[in-house]
Amino acid sequence: MLGEIRQARLLGLLCVIAGSLFLASLLFGSQTIPVFQALQETFADTSSVLALILTEVRLPRALIALFAGATLGLCGAAMQAMLRNPLASPGLIGSASGAALGAVIALYFGSAALSQFSLPLGGILGSLGATLLVYLLAGRNACTLTLILAGVAINSLSLALISLLLNLAPSPYAVQEIVLWMMGSLNNSSMDNFWIMLPGTLLGWILLLRVGRALDALTLGEETAQSMGVDLPRLRWRIFLAVALAVGSAVSVTGAIGFIGLVVPHMLRPFVGYQPGRLLAASALGGAILLLAADILVRLLPAQTEIKVGVVTALVGAPFFLYLIIKSRRYNQ
Amino acid sequence: MSLLRGTALSLAFDDHAILEAVDIELKRGEMLGLIGPNGAGKSSLLRCLAGSTQTDSGVLQLGEQRIEDIPRNEQARRIAYLPQQTEVHWPLSVERIIELGRIPHLEPWGKLSERDQQMIEQVISGADLLPFRHRPFNTLSGGERARVLLARALASEPEILLADEPVAALDPAHQLDVMAMLAEHCSRGNAVIVVLHDLRLAAHFCQRLQLLHQGRTLAVGKPGEVLTPDNLENAYQIHLPDSQSAIDTLLNITWKRIPK
């Protein structure tokens, strides 16, 4: 079995990988650019083509991959720890589907074309709304199962409303736009997108800064955690709000990118000795690594149309999910 | 002076009374056994004392202070609670689980101090867990698991330990191991409230017993005063032929664990 690694060493290693992939993400694309020359030209303030590609195309795309991936990894780890369920994903409490619904409403009513802010804003509002609904539906002192069921119900409702909007869409063009957006992509990322996503993402991260120890205590169940000083309703509220803000912001910019939040915590758990608190930072870096890598991959794949990054993460993630099921089946026997 | 005192504690779920004006007192150095039939309210009482269930009425004091006036973290440092069934949700190693016991003592960003490490080592060797310290919890046997969970609770150095049936589903030798750990904790000037179904263990290890029946205290006092034929008949609905001599046997039984 893979063993536990010292936290500083693990985080250092993940940082190096994430950093290298970030640089690679600046380098690779439909055209490989000499990064250092481009950097020089950028700082020399000449509006050269290379500098433009770097600052207007590659940099926002890499930054968004870094932040969105980290958000998905972090929130996935937090959700799995809070619900003590290895199959929980950041989207379980409605944030991702709510964000998708909000964004689709913005696309549908064409307001996205009017202002570039309306799509992400719609997404964040949708995410907050859906999460709030789950919270209200389950109640303040809900047990884990009720929370999961409430999440499933709100997710289904959001997806049904998205289908309704698709069904009633005025033109095939609108349908195509919505469907392509839902696949999840970092294509057409701009620095504006990044700035829009940043505040919600950072706020979510900050809210999750100090939950590690409480999540560790939750390993022993809710009653024991409470007796160890954990204020459970407050912890839940904090994580809900954090996930709604961070995942909502990320999804509204990137579209639905699945499986990162589900898979990354699993991959890293053995290295942190299965401790939920230690997993948070590692999982954030792991999420960033996975999304950066997937986004580089889609740019390098020789395809007529660029494959959407959400499709790649799902193609990698779904088989891994199957593997988890088979492994747990063997474990239970 | 009592370490913990509950006065007129009452609790009801949907008009169904669980606890009715129960008084409870715990003195330093003592092990108090909570006994009574299933559904008597033992676990509920323990949960109320642990703060995971709020009583509807009554006063709960820790030393001289009312429990509401004590910050949550300080409560957690002074009282440890070992629920009836503790599921460990991730395959943490034994050492990592015992480390969790130090959480109430840690600063938000702090790491384990030397003092924390010392306590963890002490508890691991005290609970005879040295050979297992790196084993994942889910690979341990029932007896080993019980010892790990108790060791986790003891690692927080609580002056009061609330243990809900810590010996359920253990064989006699492991029952004795666990009870000996509890007795040792009391001998260091702390105190334990333990829920037990095994009246022999209760009589042997506890200085006082409190017999609950239908949410009320039926009897409280030394084992000999509580375990009377009348009380057993009323609470447990069991009849012992020649009951007094049976109870005398119960009270005078000597348990000894064969040294390993």
Side-chain angles (χ1 to χ4, degrees), chain A residues 75-90 92 144-145 148-149 218 261-262 265-266 269 321 324, chain B residues 89-90:
Chain A
C75 293
M79 287 294 295
Q80 291 182 2
M82 183 182 74
L83 299 173
R84 280 152 292 136
N85 189 328
L87 301 183
S89 67
L92 191 72
T144 307
L145 188 65
I148 294 177
L149 286 176
L218 262 182
L262 183 67
H266 280 284
R269 208 165 262 130
F321 200 73
L324 284 180
Chain B
H89 291 275
W90 309 107

Side-chain angles (χ1 to χ4, degrees), chain B residues 188-233:
Chain B
R188 291 188 190 157
N190 304 300
V192 171
I193 301 181
V194 55
V195 172
L196 288 170
H197 274 304
D198 189 324
L199 300 178
R200 291 167 302 175
L201 286 177
H204 185 68
F205 282 96
C206 299
Q207 286 80 52
R208 282 194 310 134
L209 297 179
Q210 182 156 355
L211 173 60
L212 292 185
H213 179 48
Q214 296 180 343
R216 292 168 180 276
T217 303
L218 198 65
V220 60
K222 294 201 170 107
E225 297 160 13
V226 174
L227 297 175
T228 63
D230 280 353
N231 280 343
L232 291 186
E233 269 192 40

Side-chain angles (χ1 to χ4, degrees), chain A residues 290-333:
Chain A
L290 202 64
L291 191 51
L292 279 165
D295 187 48
I296 294 171
L297 186 71
V298 296
R299 281 184 259 171
L300 296 180
L301 283 177
Q304 289 271 304
T305 333
E306 188 176 295
I307 309 246
K308 302 281 183 193
V309 74
V311 177
V312 171
T313 57
L315 278 176
V316 176
F320 188 79
F321 200 73
L322 288 175
Y323 161 74
L324 284 180
I325 294 170
I326 292 167
K327 208 174 92 175
S328 75
R329 196 176 60 178
R330 210 182 306 149
Y331 176 75
N332 288 332
Q333 265 171 3

